[in-house]
């Protein structure tokens, strides 16, 4: 098969590709070890001892025994040991401590910059039009590559949470951010396999409607074979035929002399079921991205996901009429199809009818870290006053909206023509947690996030006290985005501090220069 034929095959699909990423993908960009290498890094004994004594090459079984040995070592530490003190409340079963150690290592790798030699390659990847990512990786490489995509961690969250099949990352083997979610030991895999049919049912539409590009796996990887078997069990012949045309496996060839090659291949599953797939052999992901770059759309995947989410919430709402505006019948052209006016860009066409009065505080907070293209003057004159009515004190970001209408100083603000007189927030308003240690206040932003990764509320209350530089602001945005759901959707005892932190970010990014 030629490269041009593969491009046409991808373009013939109704939907953009999904990437299915394995450990080889992260190893390529961050030099992280494979599974065996990861276990040997933390095994108290030589790996060969586990192979010989257990008489197995099953890595989940070996991981189970390494976890037991490592946990025994943990409990034998002196009671005043700093490591024991730090994790004693988390080590609730035999596998948790190994998962914590692996997670801490991966978090340290996530703070590293990607090598400069991959800059052009990563730029190509980030500019691809893809609908989503499925991964068995525990690290956050996928989230770093596509920071506006919404991650779902573990089978449980993916199976039971509403998903929209676009602008999302499905971490089906868990994530380092939640060590207990990581699929690692025999019991983890037993539990995972019990739910595999439910996972397959959740993913089946994606596999049928999208090209699926597997990267960072061997074409015979056991995890992939198990997923494909579960999918095939759910399909009739008609849909099985659709699946046959959608699977693209990228085989990495570690040779500088290798020539990029595409060919047809087959995978044998069970009951003599044979799946034809496309196989790419390459020593450069650039060539793969070059095949995928031709799929285009005018609206970014993350924004399309937001549209689908909003429609879903309207549909399941008890009172959807509060979120809908219906045009009077005499405004609908009888000779044309009824059209839907939807989205943040469309609001300006129907300002008085839709939306800005009913916008909630959480919507503005989210807009600061994930731009929804709201009309700044409407936010300042309608949304903010409506949220603040009654005179209650509430932390709302406004500097972004002021900057968008040309107000960039206290003098501009005092003389504004819109009649805006919302109280302005400044640094002392964000520094309201009085128990931060002086030592912590000297940390860099990255060090603070790393230090309190397992207890993020401490980072949330601390960050306004730090010397946050201009070059730190994107890291701060990513940190807030990662924890937005837990603090402001699910809510917790530190939700107010997260609101203050977002207002701090808004002030730091858009506030007057003479106040920073």
């Amino acid at each position: 098969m030629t490269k041009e034929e593969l491009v046409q095959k991808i373009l013939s699909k109704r939907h953009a590709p999904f990437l299915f990423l394995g450990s080889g993908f992260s190893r390529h960009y961050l030099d992280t070890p494979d599974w065996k290498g990861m276990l040997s890094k933390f095994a108290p004994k030589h790996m060969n001892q586990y192979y010989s004594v257990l008489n197995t090459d099953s890595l989940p079984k070996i991981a189970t025994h390494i976890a037991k040995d490592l946990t025994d070592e943990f409990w034998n530490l002196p009671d005043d040991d700093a490591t024991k003190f730090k994790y004693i409340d988390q080590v609730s079963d035999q596998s948790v401590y190994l998962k914590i150690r692996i997670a801490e290592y991966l978090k340290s790798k996530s703070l590293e910059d990607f090598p400069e030699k991959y800059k052009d390659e990563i730029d190509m990847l980030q500019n691809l039009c893809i609908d989503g990512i499925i991964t068995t990786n525990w690290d956050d490489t996928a989230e770093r590559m596509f920071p506006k995509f919404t991650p779902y961690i573990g089978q449980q969250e993916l199976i039971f949470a509403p998903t929209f099949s676009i602008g999302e990352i499905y971490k089906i083997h868990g994530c380092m951010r939640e060590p207990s979610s990581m699929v690692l030991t025999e019991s983890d895999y037993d539990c995972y396999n019990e739910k595999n049919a439910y996972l397959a049912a959740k993913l089946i539409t994606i596999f049928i409607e999208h090209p699926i590009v597997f990267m960072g796996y061997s074409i015979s990887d056991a995890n992939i074979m198990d997923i494909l078997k579960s999918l095939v069990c759910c399909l009739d012949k008609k849909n099985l035929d659709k699946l046959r045309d959608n699977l693209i496996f990228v085989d990495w060839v570690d040779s500088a002399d290798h020539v990029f090659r595409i060919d047809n291949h087959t995978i044998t599953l069970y009951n003599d079921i044979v799946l034809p797939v496309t196989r790419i052999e390459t020593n450069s992901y650039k060539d793969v991205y070059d095949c995928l770059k031709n799929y285009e759309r005018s609206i970014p995947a993350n924004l399309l996901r937001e549209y689908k989410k909003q429609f879903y919430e309207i549909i399941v709402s008890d009172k959807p009429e509060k979120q809908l505006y219906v045009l009077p019948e005499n405004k609908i052209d009888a000779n044309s199809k009824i059209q839907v006016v939807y989205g943040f860009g469309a609001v300006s066409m129907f300002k008085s009818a839709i939306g800005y009065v009913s916008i909630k505080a959480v919507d503005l907070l989210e807009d600061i870290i994930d731009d929804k293209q709201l009309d700044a003057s409407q936010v300042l004159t309608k949304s903010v006053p409506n949220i603040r009515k009654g005179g209650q004190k509430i932390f709302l970001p406004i500097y972004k909206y002021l900057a968008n209408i040309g107000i960039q100083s206290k003098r501009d603000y005092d003389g504004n023509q819109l009649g805006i007189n919302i109280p302005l927030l400044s640094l002392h308003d964000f520094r309201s947690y009085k128990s931060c240690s002086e030592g912590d206040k000297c940390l860099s932003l990255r060090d603070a996030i790393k230090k309190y990764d397992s207890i993020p509320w401490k980072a949330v209350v601390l960050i306004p006290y730090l010397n946050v530089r201009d070059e730190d602001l994107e890291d701060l945005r990513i940190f807030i985005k990662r924890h937005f759901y837990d603090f402001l959707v699910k809510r917790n005892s530190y939700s107010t501090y997260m609101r203050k932190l977002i207002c701090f970010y808004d002030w730091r990014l858009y506030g007057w220069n003479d106040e920073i």
Side-chain angles (χ1 to χ4, degrees):
M1 181 184 296
T2 67
K3 190 173 181 179
E4 290 71 25
E5 288 172 331
L6 177 60
V7 169
Q8 289 306 311
K9 182 177 183 178
I10 293 169
L11 292 176
S12 69
K13 305 299 179 182
R14 291 180 55 211
H15 301 282
F18 255 72
L19 303 184
F20 205 130
L21 304 179
S23 61
F25 181 84
S26 297
R27 189 158 59 252
H28 175 70
Y29 290 112
L30 285 176
D31 196 29
T32 50
D34 61 13
W35 194 9
K36 179 181 176 182
M38 187 71 76
L39 291 177
S40 64
K41 182 181 286 288
F42 298 102
K45 304 169 186 173
H46 195 282
M47 284 292 287
N48 285 346
Q49 184 170 346
Y50 291 100
Y51 283 111
S52 59
V53 170
L54 298 173
N55 193 28
T56 183
D57 59 359
S58 166
L59 290 177
K61 186 170 185 176
I62 290 171
T64 301
H65 286 265
I66 290 174
K68 179 183 181 304
D69 292 344
L70 201 63
T71 302
D72 289 343
E73 285 190 355
F74 174 82
W75 289 116
N76 286 328
L77 292 171
D79 288 341
D80 60 353
D81 182 90
T83 299
K84 190 171 186 179
F85 178 79
K86 182 177 181 180
Y87 296 120
I88 192 167
D89 291 333
Q90 299 178 50
V91 181
S92 55
D93 67 50
Q94 217 168 68
S95 68
V96 169
Y97 187 52
L98 174 57
K99 293 177 181 178
I100 289 173
R101 293 288 301 276
I102 292 173
E104 291 294 329
Y105 167 76
L106 292 175
K107 289 170 189 174
S108 70
K109 297 295 286 185
S110 77
L111 296 175
E112 296 179 7
D113 293 327
F114 295 118
E116 183 65 25
K117 65 181 178 179
Y118 294 126
K119 182 180 184 306
D120 292 343
E121 187 174 301
I122 291 172
D123 285 345
M124 286 182 70
L125 172 61
Q126 292 179 320
N127 284 305
L128 291 180
C129 178
I130 64 169
D131 273 355
I133 294 170
I134 307 167
T135 181
T136 54
N137 295 341
W138 301 317
D139 60 74
D140 67 349
T141 304
E143 292 97 312
R144 291 175 66 187
M145 296 292 191
F146 294 90
K148 292 188 177 182
F149 282 20
T150 300
Y152 290 79
I153 296 174
Q155 274 180 313
Q156 192 79 1
E157 186 170 326
L158 177 57
I159 291 170
F160 294 105
T163 57
F164 305 96
S165 300
I166 189 166
E168 297 174 336
I169 300 172
Y170 305 145
K171 309 194 75 169
I172 59 177
H173 277 193
C175 179
M176 65 183 188
R177 302 291 172 196
E178 298 178 18
S180 62
S181 71
M182 294 161 58
V183 178
L184 174 64
T185 64
E186 276 189 300
S187 61
D188 293 330
Y189 271 92
D190 289 343
C191 182
Y192 175 86
N193 290 332
E194 285 177 9
K195 299 175 183 175
N196 229 1
Y198 299 102
L199 177 64
K202 192 83 173 187
L203 298 178
I204 196 165
T205 302
I206 293 172
F207 271 73
I208 289 174
E209 295 185 348
H210 300 257
I212 310 294
V213 183
F214 296 85
M215 302 175 66
Y217 294 101
S218 160
I219 201 166
S220 58
D221 185 276
N223 290 317
I224 300 303
M225 293 303 104
D226 288 342
I227 289 172
L228 291 178
K229 288 174 185 175
S230 298
L231 286 166
V232 167
C233 286
C234 302
L235 296 175
D236 57 21
K237 186 179 185 307
K238 179 182 177 182
N239 284 318
L240 184 59
D241 288 338
K242 293 179 182 178
L243 180 62
R244 295 173 192 273
D245 293 329
N246 283 359
L247 307 181
I248 302 170
F249 281 84
V250 178
D251 265 357
W252 182 264
V253 180
D254 196 11
S255 169
D257 300 326
H258 180 75
V259 177
F260 182 78
R261 187 171 72 185
I262 308 169
D263 59 21
N264 295 317
H265 190 73
T266 58
I267 296 175
T268 303
L269 297 176
Y270 65 97
N271 293 339
D272 296 324
I273 293 177
V274 176
L275 276 180
V277 302
T278 301
R279 180 174 65 177
I280 298 175
E281 291 184 346
T282 186
N283 62 1
S284 171
Y285 282 150
K286 270 188 176 182
D287 292 325
V288 180
Y289 302 152
D290 196 49
C291 292
L292 303 177
K293 72 179 183 181
N294 296 282
Y295 197 102
E296 298 179 352
R297 69 158 62 91
S298 58
I299 303 175
N302 62 292
L303 193 54
L304 283 175
R305 180 189 182 274
E306 186 64 26
Y307 290 164
K308 292 182 74 172
K309 177 186 171 194
Q310 295 291 341
F311 275 123
Y312 172 83
E313 290 176 352
I314 289 172
I315 291 166
V316 301
S317 171
D318 289 336
K319 296 182 178 179
E321 65 276 4
K322 289 189 175 182
Q323 298 169 270
L324 293 170
Y325 172 72
V326 181
L327 286 172
E329 187 175 357
N330 60 6
K331 294 265 183 94
I332 299 174
D333 185 351
N335 296 318
S336 66
K337 294 180 181 178
I338 295 174
Q339 296 180 344
V340 176
V341 179
Y342 181 79
F344 300 107
V347 169
S348 60
M349 298 172 60
F350 294 93
K351 291 175 185 174
S352 63
I354 314 176
Y356 281 103
V357 173
S358 63
I359 280 178
K360 299 176 182 176
V362 71
D363 298 319
L364 298 184
L365 294 165
E366 187 175 21
D367 179 56
I368 298 302
I369 60 163
D370 204 355
D371 186 24
K372 308 298 183 186
Q373 302 177 27
L374 298 179
D375 183 297
S377 63
Q378 294 294 307
V379 168
L380 292 167
T381 59
K382 293 185 178 178
S383 306
V384 174
N386 188 63
I387 294 169
R388 296 185 69 251
K389 68 184 176 183
Q392 71 267 38
K393 185 175 182 180
I394 185 167
F395 283 88
L396 294 173
I398 65 166
Y399 284 100
K400 172 184 174 180
Y401 308 113
L402 293 173
N404 283 350
I405 62 171
I407 296 177
Q408 297 180 323
S409 70
K410 184 67 165 59
R411 181 177 179 180
D412 290 342
Y413 184 74
D414 290 341
N416 80 83
Q417 301 299 306
L418 293 177
I420 304 167
N421 63 350
I422 303 162
L424 295 174
L425 300 174
S426 56
L427 188 57
H428 73 276
D429 295 301
F430 314 125
R431 293 177 170 176
S432 58
Y433 189 80
K434 305 303 182 184
S435 300
C436 297
S437 72
E438 293 304 313
D440 276 354
K441 292 177 184 178
C442 296
L443 294 171
S444 69
L445 177 73
R446 283 195 171 190
D447 287 342
I449 291 172
K450 181 179 179 181
K451 179 175 181 180
Y452 292 116
D453 185 78
S454 61
I455 38 179
W457 70 263
K458 289 194 173 183
V460 168
V461 302
L462 170 64
I463 289 171
Y465 290 92
L466 305 181
N467 177 27
V468 178
R469 305 165 301 171
D470 289 350
E471 55 265 36
D472 295 329
L473 291 175
E474 178 59 15
D475 287 335
L476 177 54
R477 188 191 72 82
I478 292 171
F479 170 79
I480 293 171
K481 182 176 173 65
R482 181 184 303 146
H483 297 288
F484 188 92
Y485 182 83
D486 286 338
F487 281 81
L488 296 177
V489 180
K490 288 171 58 177
R491 300 179 62 82
N492 59 39
S493 301
Y494 295 91
S495 295
T496 298
Y497 290 100
M498 177 58 89
R499 288 195 290 272
K500 291 180 182 180
L501 180 59
I502 294 174
C503 290
F504 168 77
Y505 171 78
D506 171 60
W507 169 80
R508 185 63 186 77
L509 186 59
Y510 300 104
W512 334 131
N513 291 333
D514 56 346
E515 293 186 15
I516 296 176

